[in-house]
Amino acid sequence: MLQRLIPVCFLLSTLTSLYAQPVGSPVASVKTYEPPVFTDPDRLKKIQALAPTIDKLYKDYAARRNFPALAYGVVVDGKLVYAGSTGYTDVAKKTAATPKSLFRIASMTKSLTALAILHLRDQGKLRLDDPVQQYIPELKSIAYVTADAPLITIRNLMTHSAGFPEDNPWGDRQLADSDADLISLIKGGLTSANAPGVAYEYSNLGFAMLGNIITKVSGKPYQQYITDAILKPLGMNQTLWEYTSVPASLLAHGYRAQDGQWVEEPLLHDGSYGAMGGLITSIEDFSKYVAFHLAAWPPRSGADSGPVKRSSVREMQQPWMFSGLATQAKTSAGKPCPVTSSYGYGLGWSQNCEGRVSVGHSGGLPGFGSQWRMLPNHGIAVIAYANLTYAGLGTINSVVLDTLVSQAGLMPRQLPVSPILNQRKAELVKLLPDWTSAESSGIFAENFFPDQSVDSRRKAVQALYAKAGKIKRIGELVPENQLRGHFIIEGENANIDVFFTLTPENPALIQQLDIAEIPR
């Protein structure tokens, strides 16, 4: 039975599918996406210096939780900068786990299914708000939970808001079902827990339906479409759907704990439910997918050479459906820090009390547990796989991310400063503190002086400058976005923070200005 966890962890269930080439077989020539490469050697050096610490954290956790095997990796920007492993992927043969070992990653598969839907959407072949019955006509006969319920849409399926009940324990066992089995299930009538669009309710069935839609719209099995449209362009040539295609030396066997022993779980074949959790991949291969997600940030101009547009990748990482508020959550150091969680398109999203955003997904099914989690604003991510039923990896991944951020001194990636923000800053600095000719300067919006007179602003700012003493330095502008930011004026005796925000006009004018002393 899948353990119910707080939404931040997103320990979710899974399954598998066919139509992939065996490891080592020839792969059709496809131009491979190259993610942005690491550009800060000092940052890389600090992270790599933490390798022994990361290694110990993961291996100690695996020992405490009695995992047969654990594989893990750290991705920074476009690069897998560290990978490690411990234990055995095949206990009977004592086959050592490595970063090349191929594990079933369960519900981590869901984001690739969602990405394939967006790939079809971007080509104009479907719309996210299309009713699902347009593609699966058997849904027309289902009874909704209320008479006023709207039709289930593709977006509902992607965000777990279709109204179907949570189905983790049941869904785990449907992995090898055929397409005919799926359609037969729908024809027989489905039950709903909610009306569509009103609540988050985790549904593996919904993602099986997404796989069926991909197959019908693309004209090829969804496994093949995901392989051709996403896996091959990312260079993920060792990622498969069917376990019988995996060389024995690389295949991770799954186990459950029973009476103090590891008992091997039978591996299920690929089928219609693989879209919700069927992929088999390695740390090395999946790191390419993680790097692709990290490369979507920050929004920017320039070449967009990935298999799916950067804007679509960012879209799927947004909090589309609220899933929970963990008021008693704590940081890995034990500090109370509430966390709010939502679900995007095949991805979990959370933000803690310190404003840190985390995006990723967990996976769990009989024999396996996995998770990947990234901090998009920091450009880092971690991946971990274990071959024990529903192995919880959210806790250790959080500890590792916190360790990387704190001990390597990683700061959020700063947005580039727009030309108009830089221009308005320079114009403001010239006017302060006396505001000479400010009203005729042409840099302030029509609301600015009616909101607070120039005389009032002059008095307040001159008082701050007097307290600060001789001005030693004007700090760099730190943008919050392209039209809002702040900078520091450093004085001998005190510092002053200058925050301003611009209007939507072109050219943008200063509509708000807050100037305050900063305690040293």
Side-chain angles (χ1 to χ4, degrees):
M1 185 71 66
L2 184 63
Q3 183 180 4
R4 183 187 290 272
L5 300 178
I6 63 171
V8 187
C9 294
F10 288 109
L11 178 60
L12 306 173
S13 139
T14 15
L15 295 95
T16 10
S17 304
L18 268 156
Y19 314 104
Q21 300 183 37
V23 173
S25 65
V27 177
S29 178
V30 175
K31 184 178 180 180
T32 302
Y33 166 76
E34 294 291 340
V37 294
F38 213 144
T39 56
D40 186 345
D42 290 337
R43 185 164 116 120
L44 176 58
K45 193 177 297 183
K46 290 176 183 177
I47 292 171
Q48 290 177 327
L50 289 171
T53 301
I54 294 166
D55 221 34
K56 180 172 172 51
L57 286 170
Y58 276 119
K59 289 181 177 179
D60 286 353
Y61 188 78
R64 289 196 306 273
R65 301 294 295 270
N66 197 28
F67 295 157
L70 178 69
Y72 46 89
V74 177
V75 180
V76 182
D77 298 331
K79 188 175 183 180
L80 178 66
V81 299
Y82 181 72
S85 58
T86 184
Y88 302 115
T89 52
D90 186 333
V91 172
K93 294 182 180 179
K94 295 195 181 311
T95 305
T98 76
K100 295 181 183 295
S101 298
L102 295 165
F103 288 72
R104 271 212 160 125
I105 61 169
S107 285
M108 283 171 56
T109 307
K110 285 184 170 67
S111 67
L112 287 103
T113 298
L115 193 61
I117 290 286
L118 291 176
H119 189 263
L120 290 167
R121 187 276 311 269
D122 291 349
Q123 297 176 71
K125 294 183 177 181
L126 56 76
R127 296 178 301 175
L128 300 191
D129 292 317
D130 284 341
V132 176
Q133 66 183 41
Q134 179 176 328
Y135 304 93
I136 307 177
E138 291 79 8
L139 272 176
K140 292 178 181 179
S141 62
I142 70 167
Y144 285 86
V145 70
T146 61
D148 66 351
L151 296 177
I152 297 169
T153 66
I154 292 175
R155 192 188 306 273
N156 290 146
L157 298 182
M158 294 172 73
T159 58
H160 293 305
S161 61
F164 301 134
E166 181 182 349
D167 61 1
N168 282 310
W170 172 84
D172 288 345
R173 303 298 180 178
Q174 314 307 312
L175 186 59
D177 283 7
S178 66
D179 289 341
D181 291 332
L182 175 62
I183 297 304
S184 177
L185 172 72
I186 298 170
K187 279 183 177 179
L190 298 173
T191 56
S192 295
N194 303 294
V198 301
Y200 168 85
E201 189 85 3
Y202 193 78
S203 174
N204 292 296
L205 172 61
F207 270 77
M209 291 182 183
L210 288 172
N212 191 269
I213 292 170
I214 293 169
T215 296
K216 289 176 176 175
V217 173
S218 70
K220 61 175 70 174
Y222 74 82
Q223 301 95 326
Q224 190 63 55
Y225 188 78
I226 292 173
T227 298
D228 292 345
I230 299 170
L231 301 182
K232 287 182 181 179
L234 291 179
M236 297 173 66
N237 298 317
Q238 310 305 308
T239 297
L240 307 170
W241 296 91
E242 170 57 44
Y243 79 89
T244 59
S245 300
V246 181
S249 61
L250 294 177
L251 179 64
H253 294 241
Y255 301 88
R256 70 178 186 273
Q258 181 176 304
D259 300 326
Q261 302 292 320
W262 290 321
V263 178
E264 187 164 349
E265 288 275 6
L267 291 169
L268 296 176
H269 290 288
D270 179 40
S272 62
Y273 278 71
M276 68 84 163
L279 273 183
I280 302 170
T281 189
S282 66
I283 294 293
E284 289 188 357
D285 235 29
F286 197 76
S287 71
K288 300 170 186 176
Y289 179 70
V290 173
F292 175 59
H293 272 270
L294 286 172
W297 297 93
R300 61 194 182 275
S301 301
D304 194 352
S305 57
V308 183
K309 296 189 300 184
R310 285 195 299 264
S311 59
S312 294
V313 176
R314 292 193 297 271
E315 178 185 350
M316 68 185 293
Q317 297 175 16
Q318 298 306 303
W320 288 103
M321 192 70 194
F322 175 75
S323 59
L325 174 63
T327 59
Q328 304 303 311
K330 297 181 180 180
T331 66
S332 60
K335 173 187 171 185
C337 188
V339 178
T340 184
S341 303
S342 294
Y343 202 82
Y345 299 155
L347 287 171
W349 175 99
S350 65
Q351 184 171 30
N352 71 5
C353 68
E354 297 173 343
R356 184 185 296 175
V357 170
S358 169
V359 176
H361 213 290
S362 295
L365 49 79
F368 298 96
S370 56
Q371 193 202 49
W372 75 284
R373 183 177 293 179
M374 68 176 180
L375 305 182
N377 293 330
H378 289 72
I380 62 171
V382 292
I383 317 164
Y385 309 148
N387 56 344
L388 188 69
T389 297
Y390 304 146
L393 295 170
T395 299
I396 186 59
N397 275 350
S398 292
V399 170
V400 171
L401 283 172
D402 286 349
T403 300
L404 286 167
V405 170
S406 61
Q407 295 192 23
L410 302 183
M411 302 299 293
R413 295 189 287 194
Q414 185 174 308
L415 289 170
V417 182
S418 66
I420 190 63
L421 271 181
N422 258 334
Q423 178 183 332
R424 296 298 183 230
K425 173 199 171 185
E427 291 164 338
L428 266 176
V429 169
K430 289 180 181 179
L431 286 175
L432 302 179
D434 298 325
W435 293 85
T436 303
S437 302
E439 291 172 295
S440 60
S441 66
I443 68 171
F444 297 103
E446 60 182 318
N447 68 287
F448 190 80
F449 291 115
D451 290 347
Q452 185 179 350
S453 71
V454 68
D455 289 337
S456 175
R457 292 180 185 275
R458 181 184 294 114
K459 290 176 183 177
V461 175
Q462 286 179 340
L464 285 172
Y465 267 64
K467 193 169 184 179
K470 182 180 178 182
I471 301 303
K472 298 166 58 179
R473 178 178 173 271
I474 305 296
E476 295 296 323
L477 184 62
V478 178
E480 290 185 10
N481 57 36
Q482 300 299 300
L483 295 176
R484 182 170 66 244
H486 76 104
F487 61 94
I488 305 298
I489 298 174
E490 296 180 8
E492 281 188 338
N493 306 317
N495 291 343
I496 300 170
D497 180 75
V498 181
F499 168 87
F500 65 100
T501 182
L502 306 183
T503 63
E505 301 167 278
N506 187 13
L509 303 175
I510 299 170
Q511 60 173 314
Q512 179 183 351
L513 176 66
D514 299 325
I515 304 179
E517 179 185 357
I518 302 175
R520 285 192 171 178

